[in-house]
Amino acid sequence: MHTAFEKLPEEKREAIIAICIEEFANNGYENTSTDVITSRAGISKGILFHYFKSKKNLYLYIMNYVVSFITDRAMEEFEKNKTQDF
């Protein structure tokens, strides 16, 4: 669904994701401005909507990214600390 966004260089993609996480975390969904996101990311509003179609889709993508990130890190820690002892 987000093929064009996924094709971006990793550094650019991660920068946009970090900005989105910060904006949504600080302002909530309703008060987050796509104008601020695009300005900070150095991309046009048109390209952001080309990638995600809507603010809602962007938010859902970011939420999925964060949940996956936290789950992956938790599982990595779990695997490191696995023990056979109660």
Side-chain angles (χ1 to χ4, degrees), residues 5 12-22 61-62 65:
F5 183 71
K12 182 68 172 178
R13 197 173 60 247
E14 293 295 326
I16 293 169
I17 289 169
I19 290 165
C20 291
I21 290 170
E22 185 177 327
Y61 180 90
I62 295 300
Y65 177 89

Side-chain angles (χ1 to χ4, degrees), residues 31-46:
N31 294 320
T32 293
S33 167
T34 54
D35 289 330
V36 171
I37 290 172
T38 56
S39 175
R40 289 186 59 202
I43 59 174
S44 71
K45 198 169 185 176

